[in-house]
Amino acid sequence: MRLRVEFTTEPFDLDEAPAHAVVAREIVTGAGLDAVDVGPFGNTAEGDADRVLGAVEALLRKSLAAGATRVSLQVNVIGDGRRDGAPEGEGDAT
């Protein structure tokens, strides 16, 4: 299964990246995820479920420890190995 995570950490500081934002960026860029995009107003990354979920756990723990007062995130399934939305067991990729 492939997942996409979108997240932000707060509080925002447009003058200088706060420690929690730096920590979050280091986690997603170092987690071996695909299509990582980090920015001041939102971040996204994609990858297999185990890597994304591991990165999300580390992101929550470490960014909160670094001073984040809020972490907003969304996780979406973007692929599961099946083709054309076929029910499980039908159309499985080989």
Side-chain angles (χ1 to χ4, degrees):
M1 177 183 321
R2 285 187 54 80
L3 301 176
R4 175 184 298 123
V5 61
E6 301 174 47
F7 68 92
T8 58
T9 61
E10 296 178 39
F12 293 114
D13 183 346
L14 294 178
D15 294 327
E16 183 177 336
H20 59 81
V22 173
V23 166
R25 180 178 59 227
E26 288 172 352
I27 290 167
V28 297
T29 58
L33 301 173
D34 307 326
V36 175
D37 183 23
V38 295
F41 300 110
N43 309 281
T44 60
E46 298 177 6
D48 72 62
D50 288 336
R51 287 184 188 252
V52 171
L53 295 174
V56 166
E57 178 184 6
L59 170 80
L60 290 171
R61 290 183 185 280
K62 293 180 179 181
S63 62
L64 291 169
T69 57
R70 177 180 177 147
V71 178
S72 301
L73 67 93
Q74 178 173 315
V75 177
N76 293 300
V77 175
I78 58 172
D80 61 5
R82 289 181 268 152
R83 292 179 290 204
D84 301 324
E88 192 169 345
E90 295 179 27
D92 289 338
T94 56

